[in-house]
Amino acid sequence: MMEVLETKNPSETTKLERGYLKYGNAKYSIVEYMSEGNSLTSREAFMLMGTTCLNTHISELHLKFGFEIPRKKIEVDTRYGKKVKVTEYRMSNEDCELSDYLLEEKADAF
């Protein structure tokens, strides 16, 4: 007989209980930094957290936890004085509430 595997998607509560947002990883650092009211660009994420794939982490946070994280194009100067547009990420009020919950859950684990 073949064993039937359960293919049901886990609920959001189950996802949170499984600890997808682990202390010390890039996603945790991003959520923690942005929940303090800071915006973040790819360059800042590299300089502050050492991650080179901010856009991927933001997308994963949206898919796994439901973060909205609004995006805005801003103009910055390059080191050669040329103007370029980059994406700036900032948390919404709802995102901050969710991040407070996730960060609080992780703090309790220690």
Side-chain angles (χ1 to χ4, degrees):
M1 271 193 238
M2 289 186 62
E3 219 175 289
V4 177
L5 297 175
E6 188 173 324
T7 58
K8 182 179 172 187
N9 289 332
S11 69
E12 289 302 312
T13 305
T14 304
K15 287 181 181 181
L16 295 175
E17 288 171 357
R18 288 186 183 173
Y20 284 108
L21 190 58
K22 294 182 181 163
Y23 177 79
N25 70 14
K27 287 185 210 79
Y28 186 94
S29 298
I30 290 165
V31 170
E32 184 177 45
Y33 182 77
M34 290 176 60
S35 70
E36 295 170 353
N38 301 310
S39 63
L40 198 58
T41 64
S42 291
R43 182 178 187 278
E44 292 167 338
F46 177 70
M47 299 297 286
L48 297 170
M49 299 159 202
T51 183
T52 57
C53 47
L54 177 63
N55 59 335
T56 301
H57 292 311
I58 296 292
S59 293
E60 289 173 355
L61 287 168
H62 170 71
L63 292 173
K64 289 184 179 177
F65 299 106
F67 283 102
E68 294 175 9
I69 307 181
R71 297 150 174 85
K72 178 171 94 172
K73 290 289 187 182
I74 60 169
E75 201 170 85
V76 298
D77 292 325
T78 67
R79 61 181 163 186
Y80 304 110
K82 185 178 177 183
K83 300 267 187 200
V84 295
K85 289 191 176 190
V86 298
T87 304
E88 177 186 66
Y89 301 91
R90 183 178 298 273
M91 286 193 165
S92 66
N93 291 337
E94 292 80 18
D95 288 340
C96 287
E97 290 175 16
L98 176 58
S99 68
D100 288 344
Y101 172 75
L102 289 171
L103 296 174
E104 181 180 297
E105 287 291 310
K106 292 300 157 194
D108 292 342
F110 294 103

